[in-house]
Amino acid sequence: MGKSQKYIDWAGENDARALELLSGSGGIIVSATKVGYIIMTTDLKGLEKKFDIKNRKRNKPGVVLCGSMAQLEELAELNEEIRAFYQEHWDRDILLGCILPWKEEGKTYIPADGSKELMMDKRATSCFVIKFGVPSEMLAQALWEEQRKLVFASSANPSGSGNRGVVSGIGDKIENGADLIIGADSYVNSIQPDKDEKSRYEQGVMISMVDDEGRLVPVQNKDRNVLPAPTLIRKGLSVDLITTILSDHFNTWDYRQGTYY
């Protein structure tokens, strides 16, 4: 990737230009996470651009970046067990994404421009992600706390292609389509320093906390064989640790890699 006016190096703090783009209409930026780079946007115009430059199918649940537990609780339906599960990941700084229904109050923060149709799947659920990486967390947190503005995301690579964890790997179409690219390769590498491009995880773990109709799974109260149960549908960074935590919080859960995806 040749350095251009749209490329900057992450300096450890929020960039004013990035905040301005995400505060306006149709802005999309590329920013770093623990597992590589993502496209971030905040409205329908930006979502349309994101789908175009990724060649991504529109039937998948959108990813909502949560910069705090308070934001997660305001947006998504949780029960006490799911909240405790998230809280442990938050406290231990572990990347986690779960598919959840929206609270009615949470839906009011989605721009009334058609974004809802692109941010939810056919069951009206989305994937709510926490602890995804400092460079992007800081942006999401600032936009929520200062403007109550949601940030939507997808990995910054063509749909179905690998994410190499370096800004030079985002591809020409994403590079050309983004309004700003914030490079932080050293941060990404610091998360999995003992891994290379072939062995590193390129995505986060995703767990479905809903049934086939999009309803929240029931509270288990330490009982066994309570169904439907949480289902790990995508392995990724810290999957071994996350499955251990999953077992600590839920006696019954399922592993179905690739389900729905």
Side-chain angles (χ1 to χ4, degrees):
M1 172 184 291
K3 297 294 180 71
S4 67
Q5 288 187 342
K6 70 166 61 177
Y7 177 91
I8 61 174
D9 289 311
W10 182 56
E13 57 189 20
N14 278 335
D15 180 79
R17 189 174 164 195
L19 289 171
E20 182 180 0
L21 283 164
L22 293 173
S23 297
S25 175
I28 63 171
I29 73 165
V30 172
S31 180
T33 70
K34 292 177 177 177
V35 287
Y37 286 86
I38 56 172
I39 299 169
M40 302 173 70
T41 190
T42 58
D43 63 6
L44 178 63
K45 187 176 178 182
L47 286 167
E48 292 279 7
K49 288 165 65 177
K50 182 204 75 169
F51 277 98
D52 176 59
I53 63 179
K54 274 184 62 71
N55 296 319
R56 181 175 171 85
K57 294 180 180 179
R58 296 178 178 230
N59 65 333
K60 297 181 179 181
V63 172
V64 182
L65 302 180
C66 295
S68 67
M69 281 294 295
Q71 180 183 4
L72 171 68
E73 292 183 60
E74 194 162 352
L75 298 178
E77 283 189 31
L78 306 169
N79 60 39
E80 59 266 34
E81 293 177 347
I82 295 171
R83 189 201 177 283
F85 181 67
Y86 262 106
Q87 186 68 57
E88 181 164 351
H89 288 78
W90 182 273
D91 293 342
R92 297 174 67 175
D93 192 20
I94 301 168
L95 169 62
L96 176 70
C98 294
I99 295 180
L100 297 164
W102 286 76
K103 284 183 175 177
E104 287 305 313
E105 177 188 355
K107 292 177 185 177
T108 65
Y109 294 107
I110 302 174
D113 59 1
S115 293
K116 184 182 295 185
E117 285 67 31
L118 294 184
M119 274 317 302
M120 298 181 183
D121 61 10
K122 60 186 178 182
R123 303 170 303 178
T125 65
S126 296
C127 182
F128 295 85
V129 182
I130 62 167
K131 291 296 181 180
F132 37 94
V134 175
S136 299
E137 284 177 43
M138 291 173 63
L139 287 168
Q141 183 178 21
L143 287 160
W144 174 254
E145 292 183 351
E146 296 169 13
Q147 304 179 43
R148 283 299 188 263
K149 184 177 282 288
L150 301 179
V151 179
F152 310 130
S154 285
S155 57
N157 51 269
S159 193
S161 299
N163 175 347
R164 295 189 294 162
V166 290
V167 73
S168 60
I170 65 175
D172 291 341
K173 194 167 185 180
I174 292 175
E175 180 182 351
N176 294 332
D179 298 305
L180 183 69
I181 299 167
I182 305 174
D185 287 359
S186 60
Y187 173 79
V188 179
N189 184 63
S190 73
I191 305 300
Q192 301 179 82
D194 57 335
K195 305 291 185 181
D196 58 25
E197 289 184 7
K198 293 183 179 180
S199 62
R200 63 181 291 276
Y201 278 112
E202 301 175 334
Q203 57 194 11
V205 168
M206 188 179 293
I207 298 172
S208 174
M209 293 291 186
V210 297
D211 64 15
D212 291 340
E213 303 300 319
R215 295 180 296 250
L216 210 61
V217 297
V219 174
Q220 295 188 4
N221 288 320
K222 299 188 182 301
D223 291 337
R224 300 181 181 183
N225 299 316
V226 177
L227 297 173
T231 302
L232 197 156
I233 61 173
R234 192 178 75 185
K235 63 183 179 180
L237 182 68
S238 304
V239 63
D240 293 342
L241 179 55
I242 292 172
T243 53
T244 297
I245 298 171
L246 194 57
S247 299
D248 289 340
H249 286 260
F250 303 95
N251 279 330
T252 301
W253 57 273
D254 204 351
Y255 176 81
R256 305 229 173 184
Q257 169 68 17
T259 294
Y260 194 81
Y261 279 76

